[in-house]
Amino acid sequence: MAKNKYDFTIEQLGPCKIKSPIELSTVVGDACANYVVDTSFVRNRINVFSTEEPNDVDETNLLQKAGPREYIYFDPKKVKAGICTCGGLCPGLNDVIRAVVRCLWNRYGVRDIVGFQYGYKGLFEDSGFDPVPLNPEIVDEIHKIGGSYLGSSRGGGDRLETDGVKTIERLGINMMFVIGGDGTQRGASDLADAITKKGLECAVVGIPKTVDNDFKFIDRSFGFETAVQQAKEAIASMHMEAHSQYNCVSLVKLMGRESGFIAAAAALASHEVNFCLIPEVPFDMEGPNGFLANLEKRLEKRHHALIVVAEGAGQELMQSTNQTDASGNKRLSDIGIYLRDAIKSYFAKRNIPLDLKYCDPSYQIRSAVTTASDSIYCERLGNNAAHAAMAGKTKMVVGLVHDKFVYIPTKMATLSRNVVDPEGSLWRDTLDATSQPIFMVNDVEKAKKIMKEKLGL
């Protein structure tokens, strides 16, 4: 079997010679919590497609397990840690901040922790945003509110290799925790490379944040389960609206720029969605097999319908904005408004009575307080990020792979975005839940070609 292009080797600032202040066991089987050793791994590729066992026990397939090490790199008394949150809001930001601070303070005895305000902008001396001190007393209650205690913003990555490094050096920061999406983590990678080039010792550790759940390799991103729960509640309300009116269509637009994980999961969780439209699967509006014709058939049969659409779906049907946001992401055309107007026009031309309700709960979802499951996940992510930095690991992110916490090189985690596999079980089960056609297109072969191009097949 040919080797893949991945290299999961984790960079280390130097040998770990300081005994950890965390008292754990080194003996497996003594009923005591254990340290984790650097030679403990999780396979990235676990599916077997042939009887021939691949030779995959090397850096191309093995992910280093996360957790506290018996010996650490940094003397806790000499640590000055920085934390920032970047990009759009996501449930769990405060939970992660809290976990990092408490682990550093309570478990390692670190007493110098600061938070940089409003994303990467807080790292620039001319921003007007001074770093804020952080300790357990300050952060203990912040998980009970949504948003980010430190504030967040997009952009600023273009100044990290110059002004960001200057601030790291000026303040004596020797470990930096960056909470953000793939664009943010690419910025963190550039910052870490510039720190190395400057000859500074600073561990840069990422906690990947994307409510869309589209980070490469990682089982799920924090905030995703909360987003699905919030979306399910919005869908339930919209279903009641649709079910209570004659020929009523409820349309719900959810997050999902390039990946339809929230839309698909919310459709499965609600059991009420009739059409789920995601970026990975193209659809036609017009024609005998198009979306509008299928919607008309649904109304003829049941006199109500519920549609969930991811924000990145159907972009090929609309005129591109040719613009980007501060993070460098392409500004999407509004598929929700496009569908709303197209549905109204279609049924009006046919003199078919229609009552359409439209809802975009995105901001409500992004600012929500985490569910219990997400809060637990955030706590463990923050703890494992702190363990990584104390052990001198850098240029990496922490995440869950095959239900195990691991460290992933930042450059590997940001190679590409994860997407819903149209041939996979998640989309197959979504089709079962909605009873929508596999394809709502007039040329299936053309649609398959588009999908292969999108997925890089």
Side-chain angles (χ1 to χ4, degrees):
M1 181 174 289
K3 295 289 185 183
N4 59 43
K5 61 184 176 181
Y6 308 134
D7 183 351
F8 295 119
T9 304
I10 298 297
E11 288 197 35
Q12 189 89 25
L13 291 176
C16 294
K17 300 179 179 179
I18 300 171
K19 183 71 169 69
S20 173
I22 302 177
E23 292 295 334
L24 298 174
S25 173
T26 59
V27 179
V28 176
D30 64 353
C32 293
N34 297 322
Y35 294 110
V36 177
V37 296
D38 282 352
T39 52
S40 183
F41 299 99
V42 172
R43 278 184 170 91
N44 168 53
R45 186 177 60 251
I46 60 172
N47 290 328
V48 177
F49 295 101
S50 70
T51 56
E52 182 180 352
E53 182 69 19
N55 181 19
D56 57 2
V57 187
D58 59 23
E59 71 281 353
T60 67
N61 194 49
L62 297 183
L63 300 156
Q64 193 177 94
K65 276 191 176 180
R69 268 53 178 175
E70 183 180 6
Y71 287 89
I72 56 178
Y73 181 76
F74 287 106
D75 180 348
K77 296 182 179 63
K78 297 178 181 179
V79 166
K80 182 165 187 179
I83 306 173
C84 70
T85 57
C86 305
L89 293 183
C90 173
L93 288 168
N94 287 334
D95 300 67
V96 174
I97 295 169
R98 179 181 186 272
V100 172
V101 171
R102 285 170 56 87
C103 187
L104 289 175
W105 188 285
N106 294 332
R107 299 293 275 165
Y108 288 101
V110 173
R111 292 294 180 265
D112 200 348
I113 311 170
V114 298
F116 293 99
Q117 301 185 74
Y118 302 107
Y120 282 144
K121 294 177 182 177
L123 277 167
F124 309 142
E125 192 172 5
D126 60 359
S127 67
F129 307 129
D130 293 329
V132 297
L134 298 173
N135 59 51
E137 185 176 351
I138 291 172
V139 303
D140 264 357
E141 302 293 318
I142 65 174
H143 64 297
K144 298 178 181 179
I145 58 174
S148 170
Y149 175 77
L150 297 175
S152 189
S153 70
R154 299 187 184 277
D158 56 331
R159 296 178 58 186
L160 287 173
E161 296 176 66
T162 53
D163 298 343
V165 173
K166 287 179 182 178
T167 296
I168 295 289
E169 183 175 25
R170 176 172 56 85
L171 296 180
I173 301 293
N174 51 17
M175 60 178 63
M176 186 71 200
F177 298 91
V178 180
I179 309 168
D182 60 342
T184 296
Q185 300 304 336
R186 288 190 187 94
S189 181
D190 293 339
L191 174 65
D193 287 342
I195 287 171
T196 300
K197 187 176 180 180
K198 185 77 172 177
L200 304 176
E201 280 203 338
C202 177
V204 180
V205 174
I207 299 98
K209 174 229 73 175
T210 165
V211 75
D212 292 350
N213 196 37
D214 58 359
F215 250 98
K216 189 77 171 173
F217 305 114
I218 297 171
D219 289 355
R220 74 175 192 275
S221 302
F222 75 81
F224 174 70
E225 288 195 358
T226 303
V228 173
Q229 178 64 36
Q230 291 287 320
K232 178 186 174 184
E233 293 175 11
I235 289 170
S237 298
M238 293 297 280
H239 174 257
M240 187 55 63
E241 286 284 345
H243 199 268
S244 300
Q245 314 287 339
Y246 178 77
N247 267 19
C248 185
V249 173
S250 283
L251 173 61
V252 183
K253 186 179 82 169
L254 298 175
M255 295 87 74
R257 293 183 56 84
E258 297 182 26
S259 307
F261 287 106
I262 291 179
L268 283 168
S270 70
H271 311 294
E272 308 289 2
V273 177
N274 306 119
F275 297 95
C276 180
L277 308 176
I278 62 174
E280 296 88 340
V281 181
F283 59 94
D284 292 334
M285 292 294 288
E286 305 288 345
N289 297 315
F291 165 71
L292 291 170
N294 279 285
L295 177 59
E296 183 178 356
K297 293 175 185 176
R298 164 71 191 182
L299 288 185
E300 287 175 355
K301 183 178 181 181
R302 298 297 302 275
H303 300 296
H304 69 277
L306 178 57
I307 306 161
V308 166
V309 59
E311 61 182 321
Q315 291 299 304
E316 63 276 3
L317 303 173
M318 301 172 286
Q319 185 174 353
S320 174
T321 65
N322 293 319
Q323 297 177 343
T324 58
D325 62 20
S327 297
N329 298 312
K330 180 182 177 182
R331 288 193 183 277
L332 300 175
S333 299
D334 196 325
I335 185 62
I337 300 301
Y338 174 83
L339 283 177
R340 182 198 66 184
D341 295 344
I343 292 169
K344 285 183 176 181
S345 176
Y346 178 86
F347 285 94
K349 288 178 181 177
R350 285 158 177 75
N351 293 317
I352 300 174
L354 179 78
D355 188 355
L356 192 143
K357 314 289 185 182
Y358 176 57
C359 174
D360 179 355
S362 300
Y363 292 113
Q364 177 184 346
I365 292 171
R366 289 182 181 276
S367 61
V369 177
T370 53
T371 60
S373 177
D374 254 335
S375 188
I376 293 167
Y377 187 33
C378 290
E379 175 81 8
R380 300 183 73 187
L381 283 171
N383 290 343
N384 282 303
H387 296 320
M390 290 302 301
K393 300 182 187 302
T394 188
K395 303 180 184 180
M396 48 135 293
V397 301
V398 60
L400 196 68
V401 176
H402 309 315
D403 205 34
K404 304 293 182 184
F405 286 90
V406 299
Y407 298 142
I408 307 170
T410 306
K411 284 184 168 59
M412 293 294 102
T414 56
L415 273 176
S416 61
R417 287 179 174 170
N418 197 19
V419 295
V420 174
D421 182 0
E423 295 186 47
S425 61
L426 174 61
W427 185 240
R428 186 176 64 236
D429 292 342
T430 303
L431 293 174
D432 286 341
T434 61
S435 296
Q436 71 189 63
I438 295 177
F439 287 108
M440 289 185 285
V441 295
N442 299 300
D443 187 338
V444 173
E445 292 307 314
K446 180 181 177 181
K448 288 181 178 180
K449 183 179 179 181
I450 293 172
M451 292 164 67
K452 286 180 179 179
E453 290 174 355
K454 281 187 175 182
L455 300 173
L457 300 176

